Every structure is written in C-alpha cells, then in structure tokens.
Amino acid sequence: MYMGEYVQVLSQPGDEDTLLVGGSPAFLRMTSLLQRVAPTQSTVLLLGESGSGKERVAEYIHHYSKRRHGPFVVVDCGTLGESLIESQLFGYEKGAFTGANNRKIGLFEAANGGTLFIDEICELPLALQTKLLRALESGAIRRIGGNEYINIDVRVIAATNRDMQRMVADGQFRQDLYYRLSAFPIHIPSLRERKDDIVALTEHFLYGLPEGERHIPLSSDVIEKLFSYDYPGNVRELKSMIQAAVNLAQGRPITRKHFSTRMPSGKRSARLGSTTDQNQIQSLAQMEKQHILNVYRVTGKNKCQTARLLDVGLSTVRRKLDRYGIK
C-alpha cells in the first residue's frame, strides 16, 4: 500500500472509488494509524466533526482489511427512531409486532463476514447500548421476537461527532460500551486542520464532475480564496462549493467570484494581522509546491503533461521541481 506526500486508494484522479485524498501532516498521521489498524480485527472508533469524512475512512479500513471481500454495511443512528434502530440492527421474526408480516434480516446478519459501520453511535438509546454491548462481547445476536441466538462474524467501526467522554460522565452513554468501542480511537482531522489538502481535494472533485477537468489547474486567485475560508462543514462543504462554482461558471473558467456567495464574511480562519493569517500568507510557496506535486503525480510524473496541465513551459516545470526538491 502506497503512502507518501499524496495519498489516494486508487490512482485515477476523480475516480468515484477513490476513498481518501490528501498529503497534509494531519492527514498522513491519520492514514498511518489507519494502515496499522486495518489488517487487525480490532473495533475502531472514529471521532470527528460532521462532514469530515468518517464514512470514507471506515471504507478505507474495510478496503485494507482481511474482510475486504465481505460486505460493508452502513447504519446511521442519527436518522432512525429508537424502535427502527433496533429492528434495523438486529432484525425481527414474523409476528414480532404489528406489521411484521415476514422475517427480516438485520444489518448485523447482513454484514456477516464483513464490516458494520455504525455512524452517530451516540444517538443509540441506552437500552440498545446494552444490547449492542452484548452482541460485541458474545459475537451473537437475537432478532426481535426471536428465542435463539445467531452467531455472527462482524467487525464494528463506530463513529460520532460528539464528546463521548462527557456523555459517559453525564450518564448518557454506557461506560462499558465506550471502553469496548474505543479500543482503537482515531481522530479524523477537520478540513481547517488539513488546509494543505484543499487543492488536492478540489482537483479530485473537479475530475469527478462533467467538464470539471477543464477548470484544472486552478488559478492562484482561486486557491487564495479557497484557503481564506474555515469550512465549518468540512470536506462535504468544500465538495458542495466546487459543484456550485462549476454550475455558476457555466463553462467559463472558475474565478474567486464564483465562491463569494458560499463564503460569508466572518468565516475566515483568522483576523488579518494575526499570527495565523501571517503564516498562511507566508505559505504561498508551499501551496504552489503542493499544487505542482499533485499535478505531477496525477500525470504519472510526466513532465511534459505536467507542463501542459499547468499551462507553463517545460523548463519552468523542471525549474520548479528542482526548486522544491520533487523527485
């Protein structure tokens, strides 16, 4: 498995199967942990803000696990009511309740031999937390209305954007279940923690849009605009902005004005003149280096194609590669 300054599960830019894209220090620290835990059978707890890509990280773990040929099943506890969560996870027998006209297989059984990703785990009611803990400890589940336990072979990855330790202290989440889930906790960095990845992510999203490739390479003005925002919605928000910008451009080159309505004032990462803002201004050379590196890798390290995509001369590409020590 490749891990370097720029990481993609699959090498084709914009490929819908590409799971993770990035090269920032925060991103690489995360992927280092993912690569260690993926081949194991350990339960994993993903902690991160909404929109930071927790489901994609869970897919990454599954993809590089021994269960990769088994099913990857997702349940979002935040979108289901208490009774529905239980029936979705554990299934039910015919006649278990009004409307149960047939036996239903739950998601634990559907994920047998593979991975079950439980998103927004903190939304699970306390009564179901007890049932989930029993399933994790025993490796068996019982359908609603059933009498027999069914053995399952499932790896569980859970995720939340809430403070689980505070919830445990407040009695809102079972302490024993928390300890069982947090055998290997991984922090998913927010986009503002990995701003060096903004250009790579933007280009990835553009490659995935019809006619999106024509907007690559990005202008320095657009890059500066993208770097000026805090992205409270994280990667999900960035993707939405890129799609909107392409629509607004209507076939013309994307400019900073196409992002103005989606980046309200007051969302800058720092006030002008602060240390953080000064550091961002000083990092423009690093932004250029990262952009050249991303394009260079996308072209398979072909200098001529890199020059064409960057719309510069071949000698300029060679000079920049030498300047930034890109091999």
Side-chain angles (χ1 to χ4, degrees):
M1 175 168 36
Y2 170 82
M3 187 185 89
E5 290 188 71
Y6 181 63
V7 176
Q8 285 188 308
V9 171
L10 299 180
S11 60
Q12 293 301 314
D15 194 314
E16 287 300 315
D17 292 328
T18 299
L19 298 179
L20 300 177
V21 175
S24 65
F27 178 87
L28 293 180
R29 284 193 296 270
M30 178 191 71
T31 52
S32 176
L33 292 174
L34 297 179
Q35 290 167 0
R36 294 177 193 177
V37 75
T40 73
Q41 297 299 318
S42 177
T43 300
V44 180
L45 178 62
L46 305 179
L47 304 168
E49 297 177 6
S50 178
S52 58
K54 294 186 289 294
E55 183 173 337
R56 302 297 278 180
V57 170
E59 288 184 78
Y60 183 100
I61 295 172
H62 174 74
H63 183 88
Y64 285 110
S65 74
K66 297 177 182 178
R67 299 172 177 269
R68 60 184 172 275
H69 298 300
F72 177 78
V73 179
V74 178
V75 57
D76 185 348
C77 298
T79 61
L80 303 173
E82 182 174 345
S83 59
L84 193 54
I85 293 176
E86 184 175 13
S87 63
Q88 286 289 310
L89 282 174
F90 301 101
Y92 53 80
E93 296 289 352
K94 181 179 179 180
F97 49 82
T98 302
N101 299 321
N102 297 290
R103 170 187 288 174
K104 176 179 173 61
I105 300 299
L107 296 181
F108 263 107
E109 289 182 80
N112 198 39
T115 303
L116 176 62
F117 175 54
I118 307 179
D119 200 7
E120 302 301 339
I121 186 72
C122 287
E123 301 302 321
L124 201 64
L126 282 169
L128 287 185
Q129 292 177 26
T130 302
K131 193 169 183 178
L132 174 60
L133 177 62
R134 186 180 301 117
L136 293 174
E137 296 286 358
S138 66
I141 59 102
R142 186 169 61 183
R143 302 188 191 110
I144 300 173
N147 297 316
E148 298 181 354
Y149 279 94
I150 303 165
N151 292 326
I152 52 170
D153 175 24
V154 175
R155 180 187 196 175
V156 170
I157 300 175
T160 183
N161 59 10
R162 300 178 67 179
D163 186 342
M164 292 190 74
Q165 292 183 331
R166 179 178 293 276
M167 292 187 68
V168 169
D170 293 342
Q172 298 176 321
F173 199 87
R174 288 184 62 107
Q175 185 178 55
D176 45 7
L177 178 58
Y178 169 69
Y179 288 143
R180 183 66 175 79
L181 292 171
S182 61
F184 204 104
I186 296 178
H187 169 69
I188 312 301
S190 64
L191 188 53
R192 62 183 173 277
E193 295 176 84
R194 46 179 293 212
K195 280 200 167 184
D196 287 348
D197 295 333
I198 289 176
V199 173
L201 286 164
T202 299
E203 292 178 345
H204 171 71
F205 295 143
L206 286 172
Y207 274 114
L209 294 172
E211 303 295 321
E213 187 175 351
R214 68 189 299 175
H215 299 289
I216 300 173
L218 301 170
S219 70
S220 59
D221 202 37
V222 167
I223 293 175
E224 183 181 3
K225 181 68 173 178
L226 291 172
F227 269 72
S228 73
Y229 187 57
D230 248 3
Y231 301 97
N234 291 294
V235 178
R236 183 186 295 134
E237 184 179 15
L238 174 63
K239 183 176 182 179
S240 176
M241 286 181 175
I242 298 307
Q243 292 174 327
V246 170
N247 291 336
L248 289 171
Q250 296 183 332
R252 297 185 296 274
I254 292 177
T255 66
R256 63 183 298 130
K257 71 178 182 180
H258 297 126
F259 297 95
S260 298
T261 59
R262 300 297 297 271
M263 295 182 176
S265 60
K267 290 294 186 178
R268 297 182 63 86
S269 57
R271 291 188 298 272
L272 186 62
S274 70
T275 301
T276 302
D277 195 62
Q278 291 171 5
N279 288 340
Q280 288 179 349
I281 294 174
Q282 293 167 358
S283 68
L284 288 175
Q286 180 61 35
M287 291 163 52
E288 181 184 57
K289 175 184 176 181
Q290 186 65 49
H291 183 51
I292 292 173
L293 177 61
N294 292 341
V295 176
Y296 191 44
R297 291 195 184 282
V298 163
T299 62
K301 298 186 177 182
N302 185 304
K303 293 184 179 65
C304 292
Q305 291 185 26
T306 299
R308 180 176 59 81
L309 287 176
L310 293 175
D311 195 25
V312 297
L314 180 58
S315 60
T316 299
V317 169
R318 288 172 175 162
R319 186 173 65 256
K320 294 289 186 180
L321 293 177
D322 289 340
R323 175 185 175 184
Y324 294 125
I326 300 174
K327 305 299 182 182

